[in-house]
Amino acid sequence: MSPAPTGRALHDCRDAFAETLMELAETNPALIAVCNDSVGSSKLGAFQQRWPERLVNVGIAEQNLVGMAAGLANGGMLPFVCAAASFLTARALEQIKTDVAYANTNVKLCGISSGMAYGELGPTHHSVEDFAWTRVIANLRVVAPADPEETRQAVRAAAEHPGPVFLRLSRMGVPDVVPAGYAFAIGRALRLRDGHDLTLIANGTLVHRALDAAELLARDGIEARVVNMATVRPLDEAEILAATRETGAIVTAEEHQVHGGLGSAIAEVVVGHDPVPMKLLGVPGIFAPTGSASWLLDRFGMSAEGIAASARELLARKRPAATR
Amino acid sequence: MNSSRPSAQHLAGIARRIRRRDLDMIYEAGAGHLGSELSCTDLLVALYFGELQVDPDEPSAPTRDRFVLSKGHAAGVLYVTLAEAGFIDPAELATFMQPGSRLNGHPDRKLVPGVETNTGPLGHGLPVAVGMAKAAKLRGESWRTWVLTGDGELQEGSNWEAAMAAAHFGLDNLALVIDHNRFQQGAAVADTNDLAPLADKWRAFGWHLHELDGHDFDAIFAGFDVARSTRGRPTCLIAHTNKGEGISFTRDRVAWHHRVPTAEEYAQARAELTEVPS
């Protein structure tokens, strides 16, 4: 079990998402929200009330949802497509590839309730393949913010970026993790804690668990670096290679299948430049059993204790600096 | 546009020239979708030379009309038409599907001026066109959106998602032209996954429906006028066409979906397309 987050308020990042969208919409009349009967689950109720005509609800039809968004962008609008991540990515993947990424239309794809946020609703509603599907598509930025402040800044950065972006958002409560004065940029990782024994790299809902794991490791005298890698594509290769060079071992943790996601992306960089031992934590290649997201993450070795245990195991395999 | 539309005779001349160049291009490239392109040539000519408010000198003008070629495999005839209309240099057609050419087998809006969206996988054009028409409505602008689909591609479910949305949003600034040549890649549409009754389907989905002869310019323009004057709902124009129209031995022959002519066939086709009908 994760340590009780005493004194830490947990936030649903959808609130920061929806508030920021409205702030942007106040000053940019081209900004519209496009959704698939997902007004409530995307927290767009206030947006709809404020600008009923700028909330385009296409009903339960994801191929048309994304295709229309590409056309809306062609026609001069700035569409933020808001839909459950599982249906947005799986159902409309060819539209994302062809109409949005290949055609380079200025569409922002916001996958809400990603990962296993729908918990007990089961694997049909889990979105634990979306990093893999989206990050192999050329010309598509893939971003998974970790807390409300990073969500706010990521939404603004997506609006400013002149091209396709996939924002992967959750509904699972998370504490604040980014420091005051933090400036988010697409493609730039954030080092949240320094250390030289190994590096824990996570994003989204796993960042605070990685920080807690580092705290546990510190009690044993192990100094773990913790990196929040919100952008899965393009990756911050410099930060990854700093981790290999300066810490010699990397544990990754993500609310995604262990195949093809953040850990795999990092491993592609590591193996090509500076191979060091790695441990990739994620959903272990199965359809998850019934349970809440938090329970499932714990079960898959991603409680703070679980991440710390993987770190200790990895340290045993780490080569001395002189031989690297 | 009505008053300034060129004569049917003039357009027939343009269409013959485009068919000829398209045939040459496919023969030179050794690839292409001849049958699919010949069936929609007259529709493209009517759109580009008698309807669309587009300007080759300003292909991205914000209030231009939008045209979406959903049947992206007919890219070849789109390129020839865009060259004829001044969007690209006719000399560039010689590079069709050659290594490094921007004239890919399916159109890329990033590379080719006048192309509005990237198509190739079927069932993509109509949803994008619905988005364009919705954008014009949201912006209070008067430009129109035209989308040309094949008939076989209507087997893709995405079209019917878009059809519902277009009617729901009352997009009377949107017109769909179906190149109803009755054949898909492998066989007749009716023998594959029949669309009939096609007109009834569109009516049931809330569209204004009009049928026309897709090789008769006067009939095509009459259909365009129907689309322009329809209020409160989108218009679907079912254009009855012939696959391979314009060459005797390719007409209505499914084998010519993407066959490349032999030297003999090429010579005969060229001769047929060069004769000026009396």
Side-chain angles (χ1 to χ4, degrees):
Chain A
M1 294 293 105
S2 293
T6 46
R8 286 193 301 192
L10 299 182
H11 312 282
D12 180 341
C13 290
R14 292 178 301 171
D15 293 321
F17 164 73
E19 287 160 17
T20 309
L21 213 53
M22 289 189 69
E23 287 163 22
L24 291 167
E26 284 288 353
T27 55
N28 184 353
L31 192 152
I32 53 173
V34 189
C35 72
N36 59 338
D37 193 22
S38 52
V39 175
S41 56
S42 302
K43 299 238 178 190
L44 292 171
F47 188 106
Q48 184 176 36
Q49 212 160 18
R50 174 80 176 81
W51 300 286
E53 74 289 354
R54 287 165 65 184
L55 188 289
V56 179
N57 187 349
V58 307
I60 308 161
E62 289 76 23
Q63 297 187 75
N64 186 50
L65 173 79
V66 176
M68 265 190 77
L72 284 158
N74 176 296
M77 307 307 288
L78 177 59
F80 272 73
V81 178
C82 309
S86 54
F87 313 131
L88 172 63
T89 56
R91 202 65 175 259
L93 193 61
E94 191 180 79
Q95 279 73 21
I96 293 173
K97 171 190 164 186
T98 304
D99 307 347
V100 176
Y102 177 41
N104 190 32
T105 45
N106 197 15
V107 173
K108 315 305 166 184
L109 302 159
C110 308
I112 313 288
S113 307
S114 62
M116 299 178 292
Y118 279 123
E120 301 86 344
L121 294 187
T124 54
H125 285 54
H126 294 173
S127 192
V128 289
E129 302 87 2
D130 53 16
F131 280 152
W133 292 338
T134 56
R135 81 175 181 91
V136 295
I137 297 175
N139 192 37
L140 182 58
R141 280 19 181 202
V142 178
V143 178
D147 74 356
E149 177 57 23
E150 190 166 53
T151 300
R152 272 188 279 274
Q153 293 199 38
V155 172
R156 289 183 176 278
E160 283 161 22
H161 175 75
V165 178
F166 173 56
L167 280 179
R168 189 189 200 242
L169 305 170
S170 182
R171 63 163 67 199
M172 191 175 14
V174 287
D176 296 308
V177 294
V178 304
Y182 168 58
F184 170 85
I186 294 175
R188 191 168 69 206
L190 168 67
R191 199 178 300 182
L192 282 167
R193 178 181 177 124
D194 212 354
H196 287 81
D197 292 325
L198 85 166
T199 302
L200 310 178
I201 306 181
N203 64 17
T205 54
L206 267 297
V207 173
H208 72 96
R209 287 169 176 255
L211 283 167
D212 290 346
E215 198 61 45
L216 293 176
L217 291 166
R219 291 181 199 165
D220 296 343
I222 299 167
E223 292 303 327
R225 179 177 296 184
V226 179
V227 173
N228 169 19
M229 193 145 290
T231 308
V232 174
R233 182 167 177 171
L235 276 177
D236 186 342
E237 297 197 5
E239 183 64 9
I240 295 167
L241 296 178
T244 60
R245 191 171 59 245
E246 296 163 14
T247 76
I250 296 174
V251 176
T252 64
E254 61 197 298
E255 194 179 342
H256 186 274
Q257 289 286 356
V258 77
H259 306 104
L262 173 70
S264 298
I266 292 168
E268 289 162 11
V269 174
V270 171
V271 77
H273 291 86
D274 184 13
V276 298
M278 287 186 67
K279 172 70 180 177
L280 277 53
L281 296 174
V283 181
I286 61 168
F287 291 110
T290 307
S292 69
S294 182
W295 183 83
L296 289 166
L297 288 173
D298 289 353
R299 182 185 170 93
F300 297 144
M302 291 181 282
S303 63
E305 290 85 350
I307 296 170
S310 286
R312 289 190 195 93
E313 283 171 30
L314 190 67
L315 275 177
R317 290 167 46 206
K318 183 179 155 182
R319 295 191 299 277
T323 66
R324 293 207 301 268
Chain B
M1 196 76 208
N2 297 7
S3 56
S4 60
R5 274 176 181 150
S7 70
Q9 193 187 0
H10 176 73
L11 293 173
I14 296 177
R16 206 159 42 243
R17 194 155 64 232
I18 288 177
R19 281 190 167 91
R20 215 155 51 218
R21 187 66 192 93
D22 190 39
L23 170 74
D24 292 349
M25 199 175 74
I26 288 172
Y27 183 66
E28 288 159 15
H33 289 80
L34 185 62
S36 313
E37 295 181 356
L38 294 174
S39 79
C40 64
T41 302
D42 297 320
L43 295 168
L44 286 173
V45 168
L47 283 162
Y48 275 91
F49 301 97
E51 180 59 45
L52 296 176
Q53 300 289 318
V54 290
D55 179 359
D57 294 326
E58 206 186 342
S60 300
T63 57
R64 70 195 180 278
D65 282 348
R66 269 43 169 203
F67 170 68
V68 172
L69 179 72
S70 188
K71 45 180 288 184
H73 55 284
V77 71
L78 177 65
Y79 299 147
V80 179
T81 305
L82 287 172
E84 183 80 22
F87 284 84
I88 57 176
D89 181 352
E92 196 180 344
L93 296 173
T95 70
F96 177 59
M97 290 179 77
Q98 298 307 303
S101 172
R102 63 176 175 168
L103 304 184
N104 199 338
H106 297 90
D108 184 348
R109 73 181 279 269
K110 305 190 301 299
L111 302 179
V112 185
V115 172
E116 295 287 356
T117 187
N118 295 17
T119 50
L122 297 170
H124 281 248
L126 186 56
V128 174
V130 171
M132 291 168 172
K134 180 67 176 166
K137 289 282 186 189
L138 285 167
R139 302 178 73 85
E141 294 169 354
S142 61
W143 50 272
R144 302 183 64 82
T145 301
W146 299 81
V147 50
L148 177 69
T149 69
D151 48 7
E153 81 164 295
L154 297 177
Q155 291 158 352
E156 290 283 6
S158 51
N159 291 302
W160 303 99
E161 294 184 5
M164 277 187 281
H168 176 78
F169 292 126
L171 300 180
D172 52 15
N173 55 351
L174 171 69
L176 160 65
V177 183
I178 300 174
D179 175 13
H180 193 14
N181 63 28
R182 295 162 282 110
F183 289 100
Q184 52 197 98
Q185 178 173 285
V189 174
D191 295 335
T192 306
N193 188 357
D194 198 3
L195 296 167
L198 185 57
D200 290 345
K201 285 189 170 73
W202 290 97
R203 285 193 196 98
F205 273 72
W207 288 56
H208 186 205
L209 192 284
H210 178 86
E211 302 194 52
L212 55 84
D213 177 343
H215 300 305
D216 174 335
F217 287 106
D218 292 329
I220 295 170
F221 287 135
F224 290 177
D225 289 341
V226 166
R228 297 180 145 279
S229 59
T230 298
R231 296 286 173 267
R233 55 190 170 147
T235 295
C236 172
L237 302 173
I238 296 181
H240 295 279
T241 58
N242 303 308
K243 197 148 192 159
E245 173 73 13
I247 301 170
S248 59
F249 60 89
T250 63
R251 190 172 186 271
D252 273 351
R253 301 285 296 279
V254 67
W256 284 95
H257 176 79
H258 56 200
R259 207 183 125 185
V260 177
T262 63
E264 261 181 19
E265 288 165 341
Y266 170 70
Q268 186 191 332
R270 197 86 181 39
E272 288 186 21
L273 290 171
T274 305
E275 287 167 19
V276 177
S278 52

